[in-house]
Amino acid sequence: MSSALRVAALSGTLLAASLAVPAQAAAARAEPGPTAPGTSFACATAHHNNDGGSGKTTAKTARRSGPYRSCTNWGSVNRGVKLWYHCWTTGTVVDGKNHWTWARIEGTNKEGWFSAAYLDDGGAKKHC
């Protein structure tokens, strides 16, 4: 919220005063991303199991809570790990690629976002 509304009682009269949050503080909270300047985004990006494909990681890569490098790293997977793809979306550009795939690590119930830059076939083919 960029401003708050404060109500004060002065001499029996209610007055409303706007307390603006400094623009620098608001900008510091905003994350860079595919949204309008000054607008933040959530790492909890919607995903669906739309894709039956799979692929392998080409390097050790992070499993993230969202399709941005600033999203929480839930741990890494090693090179050559098989992932079962659910869908893709866009996010942070990594090595020239902005596609991210929501996938499940084979043999586990662990899922997360993986950058297409580290997937042998570019990731899921179906959009989220």
Side-chain angles (χ1 to χ4, degrees), residues 8-45:
L10 298 174
S11 302
T13 306
L14 291 179
L15 299 175
S18 175
L19 300 174
V21 174
Q24 291 171 331
R29 288 191 310 263
E31 300 236 12
T35 57
T39 304
S40 65
F41 61 88
C43 287
T45 301

Side-chain angles (χ1 to χ4, degrees), residues 76-107:
S76 297
V77 296
N78 291 321
R79 180 179 188 261
V81 171
K82 186 173 185 176
L83 302 175
W84 289 98
Y85 300 153
H86 290 201
C87 61
W88 69 269
T89 193
T90 57
T92 301
V93 175
V94 178
D95 293 339
K97 297 179 181 176
N98 70 342
H99 282 199
W100 288 69
T101 292
W102 179 266
R104 180 182 57 81
I105 301 169
E106 183 177 57

Side-chain angles (χ1 to χ4, degrees), residues 1 8 10 19 35 45 52 57-59 74 107 117 123 128:
M1 180 189 277
L10 298 174
L19 300 174
T35 57
T45 301
T57 56
T58 58
W74 287 338
C128 293

Side-chain angles (χ1 to χ4, degrees), residues 50-54 85-88 99-101 119-128:
N50 296 336
D51 194 314
S54 66
Y85 300 153
H86 290 201
C87 61
W88 69 269
H99 282 199
W100 288 69
T101 292
L119 302 177
D120 64 352
D121 58 358
K125 305 300 182 230
K126 303 280 184 165
H127 192 266
C128 293

